[in-house]
Amino acid sequence: MMDPEYAPEYAIVVPTVGRPGLAELLRPVLEAPEESAPSDVVVVDDRPEDEATGPLPGIDDPRVRTLRTGGRGPATARQAGWQSCTAPWIVFLDDDVRPPWDWAHRLRGDLRSVPRGVAGTQGRIVVPRPEGRRPTDSERNTIALERARWITADLALRRSALERVGGFDTRFRRAYREDTDLALRLEDAGFRLRQGARVCVHPLAEGRPRASLSAQRGNADDVLMRHLHGTRWRERVEEPRGTLRSHLITTALPLAALAATVKGHPRLAAAAGALWAARTVGFAARRIVAGPARFDEWVDMALTSVAIPPLAVWYRGVGELRYARAHRRPSVRAVLFDRDGTLVEDVPYNGDPDRVVPRPGAAEAVALAREHGLAVAVVTNQSGIGRKMITEEDVAAVNRRIDRLIGPVDLWSLCPHREEDGCSCRKPRPGMVVGAAWALGVAPAECAVVGDIGADVEAAAAAGARGILVPTPRTREEEVRGAPEVAEDPFAAVSRLVEGGRT
Ligand SMILES: [Mg+2]
């Protein structure tokens, strides 16, 4: 039964570019009754350094913390925001939404009903329609938010899930694809997201003039999406295919007309020109028909319809150049391998270097990790030392042989104790994992432990690291069932870490 008093602890993170109405946004949050109030409210001021002259208007509540990210975009701002919080839930709100008065109460209900394995819950976005007319082009873009999945306008995420995937990818500088990218990486890590019951209002803002032109920059972000998630990412987020192909044809036609003129084919040139005109008129007509019957909107649609196709193609090219070598960043910075049964065949209490036999995929796993700049450590229980069956020197000799065969390894970490010694380092306890992370200069959350038994992945979980089980025939079936992640061998485990994808 759910405890009726249970109130999940959450922090609110609002990146802002200084839009007015921030105080209004925060009011339902700050005035919420104690049982549904956030433990932390962070406003991330992302105005460019030269614009951010004074404090943010309307933010003088002592419960609100302010961070500055100096105009590096919403992904960076959200990243700085959540990483400064300790609450187990992080709720992202955009600075242009208006939570209704009961929002915090409904959020609490949403958080309480999220099952394990679900990384987060999305608020429903409602966009009030303009009265007595059809929405303009820029208003239609805002209305489309109602159907978008996993947008950060109102998104609550588990801190542990954000840590698992490394949070936002700060290469996304615009408010466009950074949330879709995060959602796909969460899905890749095995998390699900669900729709909450709470509602957030997104008012129709006054569209900036020619917003449809600057929106074409998004074509560059789409290139990054393709590099990170493959060519089928639109299908995964149930988005219709992009319009770039059509823009490419429209853009090519005037060039073809020019080429035909130069080559002395006037009829061909006229045909290409006519086709361009027809396509442009068709494009403009589709946008005009959907909007309000207003002269200024017609003019705007006609002019931007000429400019959009070449701009879209241009930014696509910009993206192809800028992200030509982009690939997914590993969310881990270090791999901690178990030794016996993972990197080498398990020879109980082995003190003899000649009996070292690498396991399949072990050398390749270490090489792949190093290739991607990950630190590599070995964390191994060697209770044979505590039992006086082997000496530390024996173990060191074996480790040197392993290092030669499959290394180099950055750090060897061993626990010499017996179970009954009650130490904090022996796996499944977290001591060795935390200590290795510290020695490598990374956070435990940035480490993955790869091992062949339950104690390995349990130690990982206890330390806040990611655990991947690589079972051998001797691994118990319930350990396989209980493991958060399972890979075929160490190489498959590291592949998953560096690609971030499903294996
Ligand atoms: Mg083992």
Side-chain angles (χ1 to χ4, degrees), residues 338-344 346 380 427 451-453 456:
D338 166 55
R339 195 190 83 174
D340 301 325
T342 302
L343 290 179
V344 297
D346 190 1
T380 176
K427 295 176 287 185
D452 67 316
I453 61 170
D456 296 312

Side-chain angles (χ1 to χ4, degrees), residues 344-359:
V344 297
E345 296 296 348
D346 190 1
V347 180
Y349 310 119
N350 184 20
D352 179 0
D354 289 336
R355 297 180 69 194
V356 167
V357 179
R359 280 195 54 81

